[in-house]
Amino acid sequence: MATTRTATTQWKGALLDGSGTVSLDTSGVGTFEVSWASRAEAANGKTSPEELIAAAHSSCFSMALSHGLAGAGTPPESLQTSADVTFQPGEGITGIVLTVKGHVPGITAEQFQEAAETAKANCPVSKALTGTTISLNAELL
């Protein structure tokens, strides 16, 4: 069964001096301030589209990797994934780096790397972001 998730942004003013809020409507877990300065300069307590993409990508990748490892008979005890999304004004998103550290009994570092590469290639958010370079650092703890 397909699911649809919704977020809504309210924006006021021009790009450079305006600001807005983005609400996570489906979950209702919060409304967050956004601005051009928080996107192109320092965050200053506000979020950005790139931070929201990073959250989506790190969680999707973790789910895909967990599923793949469990399917191979080696479920992870823990995975910690970060996604660094780089934004360059005038160019856009110039790259994403996924970094995962995992505690997975019963596999080698090479097997973990292979499972992580498969998850990177197949998680739905990675597939949606094919317009940018996605790099991966994987470490078995």
Side-chain angles (χ1 to χ4, degrees):
M1 175 172 64
T3 59
T4 300
R5 302 294 185 249
T6 304
T8 302
T9 298
Q10 298 291 329
W11 187 267
K12 293 181 181 177
L15 174 63
L16 297 181
D17 62 356
S19 64
T21 58
V22 58
S23 62
L24 305 181
D25 299 339
T26 304
S27 65
V29 297
T31 298
F32 306 93
E33 293 181 50
V34 295
S35 70
W36 174 254
S38 68
R39 184 178 196 184
E41 299 167 15
N44 291 321
K46 298 177 182 176
T47 194
S48 68
E50 290 72 28
E51 185 175 35
L52 297 170
I53 289 170
H57 204 178
S58 65
S59 59
C60 182
F61 171 85
S62 294
M63 290 178 192
L65 180 54
S66 175
H67 181 66
L69 289 166
T74 54
E77 285 186 8
S78 65
L79 298 171
Q80 179 180 323
T81 305
S82 64
D84 298 318
V85 178
T86 301
F87 174 75
Q88 177 64 45
E91 291 182 45
I93 294 173
T94 59
I96 300 171
V97 177
L98 292 170
T99 301
V100 61
K101 295 179 181 183
H103 188 261
V104 186
I107 67 170
T108 65
E110 293 77 22
Q111 290 168 320
F112 184 68
Q113 180 71 39
E114 183 179 316
E117 290 288 350
T118 298
K120 179 185 83 128
N122 294 307
C123 95
V125 172
S126 287
K127 288 182 176 184
L129 298 172
T130 57
T132 192
T133 301
I134 301 170
S135 304
L136 174 67
N137 301 313
E139 179 184 353
L140 184 64
L141 301 175

